[in-house]
Amino acid sequence: MSINISASNLEETDLVERLLEEMRLHALPVTCIEVELTESALVDYSPIASHQLDALLEAGIRVAIDDFGTGYSSLAYLQEIPAQVVKIDRSFIQRIEQEKRSRTLVKAMISMAHDLGYSVVAEGVEDHQTYAFLDGLGCDEVQGYFVSRPLPPEQFEQWIETSTQG
């Protein structure tokens, strides 16, 4: 399960304590949560935000850089932000069938991220052909309509149960 975190969230000095408390209340292990940093959180990266990210990592919560490759995304984030996951923005993924440049960029992003020790998620995967291409490049995970459309909680629970049974 992923939770998007904004710059203002990272400035909340009790963010980590509140998140961990909610997880305890619902008996959720820290391994089931991933925090995704939005672009605003990366642009406004402050000492308080840095402390919060360190606390999340120390608690065992994975941190992802969301929508990588768009907006103000910078390669510097890959050096500065203590994350384990890079999520390639859907705008690159949706074009890989039609545009050689997109295929080249996605291939380079996956390779570079892996070389830097990141796990890679491709956003916006909507068909088997795109999935197969990304799988061939060694992409670690995908998200998008190919996997599932957004579901209400009850249907999500049923989908998880069915998915894990076969």
Side-chain angles (χ1 to χ4, degrees):
M1 176 93 48
S2 293
I3 301 170
N4 281 38
I5 300 290
S6 70
S8 61
N9 293 134
L10 282 176
E11 294 297 323
E12 299 168 8
T13 56
D14 65 340
L15 169 70
V16 177
E17 294 83 21
R18 287 185 297 124
L19 178 60
L20 292 173
E21 180 59 28
E22 285 298 318
M23 293 176 72
R24 275 190 289 278
L25 287 173
H26 296 284
L28 295 172
V30 293
T31 55
C32 77
I33 297 292
E34 176 178 273
V35 171
E36 295 182 6
L37 302 178
T38 63
E39 186 172 331
S40 67
L42 298 173
V43 170
D44 297 332
Y45 195 61
S46 70
I48 294 172
S50 176
H51 176 73
Q52 292 294 348
L53 286 179
D54 288 343
L56 287 167
L57 292 169
E58 190 175 304
I61 296 173
R62 284 180 15 145
V63 175
I65 298 172
D66 196 20
D67 299 332
F68 187 75
T70 62
Y72 295 106
S73 291
S74 164
L75 294 177
Y77 296 149
L78 298 179
Q79 283 187 305
E80 297 170 11
I81 306 298
Q84 298 96 348
V85 180
V86 171
K87 297 183 78 175
I88 299 173
D89 187 73
R90 69 184 306 111
S91 63
F92 293 97
I93 303 306
Q94 291 176 335
R95 296 181 186 154
I96 61 175
E97 295 301 317
Q98 300 84 18
E99 297 180 17
K100 185 179 188 311
R101 283 185 172 188
S102 290
R103 288 190 297 276
T104 301
L105 284 168
V106 168
K107 181 179 178 180
M109 283 188 238
I110 291 171
S111 177
M112 178 182 56
H114 281 160
D115 287 349
L116 293 170
Y118 289 94
S119 177
V120 180
V121 177
E123 299 177 325
V125 176
E126 298 188 3
D127 57 53
H128 185 268
Q129 189 172 356
T130 303
Y131 170 79
F133 175 77
L134 292 164
D135 187 47
L137 294 178
C139 187
D140 301 293
E141 297 176 36
V142 299
Q143 72 180 55
Y145 287 177
F146 175 69
V147 178
S148 176
R149 294 197 177 274
L151 300 170
E154 310 78 39
Q155 288 180 5
F156 175 72
E157 289 175 11
Q158 183 180 18
W159 179 83
I160 285 287
E161 189 175 307
T162 303
S163 297
T164 58
Q165 292 175 356

